[in-house]
């Protein structure tokens, strides 16, 4: 069986260094808010290219803390609107509604599967305060048009970078010929990151972070994630407990050293899929330049998705569906169940994720592609 993601093998890639890092934390006796977290935050700040990194308990908390901090700073209030992709994992939207803000769902572009920037301006109202972009599947979703809209209307740009650690946005100035690159997570005003074990940069449990260049925002977020405390037993805000622990920080610091190489390994698998599946029954998303996709997930669309998934399983290939139910069709958002979002719904009915990881061999990828090609609807 070719597994969708073999986490045991992924951890084993750097197993000795991870074990040593964990042992150092255990021996140190400081398990929260110690030197391991300080070191990882400094290294991740440098890697992403921002002034600040604040470790959090998970990726949802990272996003929640950003919006909560903006409310504490008086920049947002209950009922304000945030434009967010309709096609995303539900955490992106939970972070908004948990802050009593209003998500405004934007349809994706069928070619890219990312938020369609051509439909955003008509969604902006006097109550709009932010656009959240989601670098879904590991693809950079930022466009110059999104940035221009944020500047023109005075909107915050929040990145959900849960799936795109190490990805770049590359801009080519046609006038000067100058090429500039920025990591996802440093493009907007603030970004939430998830270190769930299956991510490209994954911990051995839950973990997350916020990156930003805004010092005031960073200070408020750090306090909010520590019970609202600005110093011990002094609480300026009604916060929560959302901290990245020392063991997870130590593990992440080891894996960060190898993230770019691991992403390159994913790209080699993706190249095989793109080269071999052009004339198959599946539709591939528009191919991005390599630096702008870290292939957290390799999605394909197939009208016979469920049948194809069963066929692949029978042939020894494990796949997953990201995601079977769109957020606006979930029971927890039953007030949206009658919304008509046909592009989002079609993607959720047809999406199938092929195996991809840094421990997958090229031979395995070729077998997956050939098995897809042998499928007959």
């Amino acid at each position: 069986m070719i597994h969708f993601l073999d986490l045991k093998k992924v951890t084993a890639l750097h197993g000795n260094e991870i074990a040593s890092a964990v042992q150092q934390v255990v021996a140190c006796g400081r398990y929260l808010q110690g030197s391991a977290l300080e070191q990882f935050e400094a290294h991740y700040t440098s890697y992403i290219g921002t002034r600040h990194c604040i470790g959090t308990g998970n990726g949802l908390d990272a996003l929640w803390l950003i919006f909560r901090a903006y409310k504490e700073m008086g920049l947002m209030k209950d009922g304000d609107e945030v434009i967010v992709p309709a096609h995303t994992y539900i955490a992106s939207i939970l972070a908004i509604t948990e802050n009593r803000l209003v998500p405004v769902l934007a349809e994706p572009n069928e070619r890219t599967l990312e938020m369609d920037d051509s439909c955003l301006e008509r969604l902006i109202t006097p109550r709009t305060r932010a656009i959240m972009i989601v670098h879904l599947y590991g693809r950079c979703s930022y466009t110059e048009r999104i940035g221009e809209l944020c500047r023109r209307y005075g909107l915050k740009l929040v990145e959900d970078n849960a799936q795109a650690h190490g990805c770049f946005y590359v801009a080519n100035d046609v006038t000067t010929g100058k090429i500039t690159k920025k990591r996802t997570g440093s493009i907007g005003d603030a970004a939430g990151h998830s270190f769930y074990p299956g991510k490209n940069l994954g911990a051995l449990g839950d973990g997350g972070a916020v990156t930003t260049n805004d010092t005031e925002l960073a200070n408020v977020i750090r306090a909010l994630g520590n019970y609202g405390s600005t110093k011990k037993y002094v609480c300026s805000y009604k916060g929560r407990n959302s901290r990245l622990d020392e063991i997870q920080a130590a593990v992440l610091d080891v894996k960060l050293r190898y993230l770019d190489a691991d992403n390159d390994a994913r790209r080699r698998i993706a190249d095989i899929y793109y080269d071999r599946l052009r004339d198959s029954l599946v539709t591939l998303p528009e191919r991005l330049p390599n630096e702008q996709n870290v292939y957290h997930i390799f999605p394909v669309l197939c009208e016979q998705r469920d049948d194809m998934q069963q066929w692949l399983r029978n042939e020894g290939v494990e796949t997953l569906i990201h995601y079977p139910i769109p957020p606006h069709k979930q029971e927890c958002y039953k007030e949206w169940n009658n919304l008509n979002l046909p592009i989002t719904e079609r993607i959720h009915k047809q999406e199938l994720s092929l195996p991809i990881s840094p421990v997958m061999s090229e031979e395995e990828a070729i077998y997956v592609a050939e098995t897809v090609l042998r499928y007959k609807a």
Side-chain angles (χ1 to χ4, degrees):
M1 173 67 74
I2 296 175
H3 294 291
F4 179 78
L5 176 63
D6 192 330
L7 280 178
K8 188 174 180 180
K9 282 187 178 180
V10 170
T11 303
L13 279 176
H14 317 299
N16 290 338
E17 289 175 78
I18 289 171
S20 175
V22 169
Q23 182 54 43
Q24 288 178 43
V25 172
V26 172
C28 166
R30 179 78 179 267
Y31 306 131
L32 281 170
Q33 298 179 300
S35 60
L37 175 63
E38 203 172 281
Q39 179 171 285
F40 171 69
E41 288 181 341
H43 289 164
Y44 199 58
T45 296
S46 176
Y47 179 83
I48 294 295
T50 54
R51 292 193 188 96
H52 305 283
C53 170
I54 307 99
T56 65
N58 53 69
L60 171 57
D61 280 1
L63 293 171
W64 179 88
L65 285 162
I66 292 169
F67 289 112
R68 174 63 186 280
Y70 279 136
K71 292 182 73 178
E72 293 289 353
M73 294 163 66
L75 300 177
M76 296 182 189
K77 62 180 183 303
D78 287 5
D80 283 344
E81 295 174 350
V82 178
I83 297 172
V84 62
H87 172 51
T88 185
Y89 184 57
I90 200 167
S92 310
I93 295 170
L94 286 169
I96 299 168
T97 58
E98 282 192 19
N99 276 293
R100 297 182 181 178
L101 301 171
V102 179
V104 176
L105 305 180
E107 284 267 62
N109 181 308
E110 281 192 282
R111 293 181 297 103
T112 66
L113 308 184
E114 305 291 339
M115 189 160 63
D116 187 348
D117 64 6
S118 70
C119 74
L120 295 185
E121 189 163 17
R122 66 175 177 265
L123 300 177
I124 297 173
T125 76
R127 293 199 304 171
T128 306
R129 295 292 176 267
I131 295 176
M132 181 196 285
I133 56 174
V134 182
H135 304 298
L136 201 63
Y137 308 127
R139 299 169 60 92
C140 177
S141 66
Y142 177 77
T143 67
E144 280 299 321
R145 178 164 176 76
I146 292 172
E148 193 274 328
L149 287 171
C150 288
R151 289 188 292 272
R152 189 194 315 169
Y153 290 96
L155 306 177
K156 294 297 183 184
L157 178 60
V158 177
E159 297 175 75
D160 181 340
N161 198 48
Q163 299 187 7
H165 314 105
C167 189
F168 279 101
Y169 171 69
V170 182
N172 188 358
D173 190 320
V174 293
T175 305
T176 64
K178 183 180 179 181
I179 296 175
T180 58
K181 298 195 300 183
K182 296 185 78 173
R183 297 258 191 204
T184 56
S186 70
I187 300 167
D189 295 284
H193 307 251
S194 168
F195 304 127
Y196 180 78
K199 306 296 188 186
N200 290 34
L201 180 61
L204 298 186
D206 277 321
V210 174
T211 54
T212 183
N213 287 317
D214 185 330
T215 298
E216 182 183 1
L217 180 71
N219 290 339
V220 176
I221 287 172
R222 193 174 291 281
L224 283 169
N226 188 34
Y227 300 99
S229 176
T230 48
K231 66 179 183 178
K232 196 165 186 177
Y233 302 129
V234 177
C235 294
S236 302
Y237 312 101
K238 296 174 184 176
R240 64 167 56 175
N241 176 9
S242 181
R243 301 174 297 199
L244 182 65
D245 71 61
E246 288 287 284
I247 286 178
Q248 301 306 338
V251 170
L252 290 165
D253 202 47
V254 170
K255 296 180 77 172
L256 180 61
R257 301 170 206 157
Y258 302 98
L259 178 58
D260 288 341
D262 288 347
N263 285 341
D264 284 340
R266 289 173 177 270
R267 291 183 179 112
R268 288 192 290 273
I269 301 303
D271 286 343
I272 291 170
Y273 289 157
Y274 270 111
D275 292 343
R276 290 174 177 258
L277 294 177
R278 283 176 291 189
D279 299 317
S280 68
L281 290 177
V282 301
T283 300
L284 306 179
E286 184 179 89
R287 196 170 188 174
L288 291 173
N290 260 350
E291 286 183 301
Q292 297 186 69
N293 196 343
V294 294
Y295 295 102
H296 171 59
I297 292 167
F298 193 95
V300 299
L301 301 181
C302 179
E303 291 184 7
Q304 302 82 22
R305 189 264 310 279
D306 294 344
D307 189 56
M308 172 173 275
Q309 184 177 42
Q310 184 60 53
W311 156 265
L312 290 169
R313 185 183 297 116
N314 292 343
E315 296 298 311
V317 176
E318 183 181 28
T319 60
L320 291 180
I321 295 170
H322 293 90
Y323 301 94
I325 305 173
H328 72 283
K329 295 294 184 183
Q330 296 284 355
E331 184 180 355
C332 63
Y333 289 121
K334 53 182 176 292
E335 65 273 22
W336 299 343
N337 286 175
N338 292 326
L339 286 179
N340 182 31
L341 296 166
I343 300 173
T344 294
E345 290 163 27
R346 186 156 57 249
I347 291 171
H348 282 257
K349 287 177 182 175
Q350 296 183 8
E351 195 278 340
L352 186 66
S353 303
L354 302 182
I356 192 164
S357 78
V359 296
M360 190 175 176
S361 70
E362 293 184 10
E363 291 75 20
E364 287 174 321
I366 291 169
Y367 176 79
V368 171
E370 289 178 346
T371 306
V372 170
L373 289 169
R374 286 192 288 112
Y375 171 75
K376 299 288 189 273

